[in-house]
Amino acid sequence: QKEVEQDPGPLSVPEGAIVSLNCTYSNSAFQYFMWYRQYSRKGPELLMYTYSSGNKEDGRFTAQVDKSSKYISLFIRDSQPSDSATYLCAMRTGGFKTIFGAGTRLFVKA
Amino acid sequence: EAGVTQFPSHSVIEKGQTVTLRCDPISGHDNLYWYRRVMGKEIKFLLHFVKESKQDESGMPNNRFLAERTGGTYSTLKVQPAELEDSGVYFCASSQGETVPSGNTIYFGEGSWLTVV
């Protein structure tokens, strides 16, 4: 069983839609939860991180962590074509080794 | 400020040959990481340097892979001899502190795309 499960998609939505991206995990020791965005042929770029459970909002992006369910989410409001990318969830325990999900490919159609 | 730079961006080599990938971290970043993504798989951790010392190399797949970071600046990752299953993209990343959420962000390079034929 993978430590982090993420549906690879692809997910296609119309411009302006609310996008919901999710990951589940099995290691209860994870404390830090990140979302990265990766454009084609580029490196991952950190979008948001959350420590422990709860919500965090940054502009059109909201990250949610539910440690009791081992489930994390990223919501994108008013999605734009420029949001089209691969979104990777990632997690860490107290250390520095980051465990990535497979990534979900998102297409936002104009 | 320059980001994490990697060289070469693309490399095609024959099975059995040697390839050396180079990474220049962001200036002043003590922490340097190597990750790789092989086809259809997740990005996976290979190793972590703090300055010139290997902090964790538990993700290195086998002894055909050798990473160095001379003087705590740039790093190289050598694959010798290369096998077909080594094909993928090798990402280097760097950060100032060690842990999140100390204000530390891990910055990734654009990757070195390796194809072994």
Side-chain angles (χ1 to χ4, degrees):
Chain A
Q1 182 188 7
K2 294 178 182 177
E3 282 191 281
V4 179
E5 296 278 1
Q6 183 176 12
D7 186 338
L11 178 62
S12 183
V13 301
E15 183 177 359
I18 296 175
V19 176
S20 173
L21 303 166
N22 312 291
C23 289
T24 59
Y25 62 94
S26 58
N27 187 350
S28 57
F30 286 136
Q31 298 181 58
Y32 304 102
F33 304 91
M34 287 77 73
W35 285 95
Y36 285 83
R37 177 176 61 196
Q38 186 178 16
Y39 291 112
S40 181
R41 295 288 178 170
K42 299 291 185 181
E45 171 194 16
L46 181 65
L47 268 180
M48 300 186 71
Y49 76 82
T50 309
Y51 172 66
S52 196
S53 285
N55 294 357
K56 187 172 184 178
E57 187 173 321
D58 183 1
R60 296 185 295 110
F61 298 89
T62 299
Q64 289 185 351
V65 174
D66 181 349
K67 292 191 74 178
S68 62
S69 301
K70 297 190 179 68
Y71 188 87
I72 71 170
S73 300
L74 177 70
F75 297 95
I76 307 173
R77 292 182 297 279
D78 187 24
S79 56
Q80 303 295 310
S82 58
D83 294 328
S84 297
T86 296
Y87 289 80
L88 302 145
C89 64
M91 306 174 193
R92 298 165 67 163
T93 59
F96 45 80
K97 183 187 296 187
T98 302
I99 308 299
F100 285 88
T104 300
R105 293 186 67 192
L106 172 66
F107 296 95
V108 181
K109 299 171 292 183
Chain B
E1 178 183 324
V4 177
T5 56
Q6 294 187 242
F7 181 84
S9 57
H10 294 82
S11 183
V12 181
I13 62 171
E14 293 184 353
K15 176 182 172 181
Q17 289 186 321
T18 297
V19 63
T20 300
L21 310 177
R22 172 172 170 144
C23 170
D24 286 81
I26 293 173
S27 178
H29 282 191
D30 288 338
N31 296 277
L32 187 148
Y33 316 84
W34 283 98
Y35 286 81
R36 78 169 179 176
R37 183 170 196 163
V38 297
M39 184 69 71
K41 301 288 188 181
E42 301 82 8
I43 297 174
K44 293 214 167 175
F45 170 87
L46 294 179
L47 86 161
H48 169 215
F49 284 99
V50 177
K51 297 184 181 178
E52 68 276 4
S53 300
K54 291 176 185 175
Q55 190 77 7
D56 181 354
E57 53 184 328
S58 62
M60 296 288 264
N62 51 61
N63 60 10
R64 295 185 294 102
F65 290 76
L66 176 64
E68 295 180 321
R69 191 181 183 193
T70 307
T73 55
Y74 71 91
S75 175
T76 58
L77 179 64
K78 180 189 288 187
V79 185
Q80 179 183 30
E83 298 289 346
L84 299 179
E85 63 265 25
D86 301 332
S87 296
V89 57
Y90 290 76
F91 291 107
C92 178
S94 72
S95 67
Q96 199 163 27
E98 276 199 9
T99 59
V100 175
S102 63
N104 171 47
T105 296
I106 298 176
Y107 296 89
F108 281 80
E110 296 193 348
S112 288
W113 299 76
L114 173 64
T115 302
V116 183
V117 297

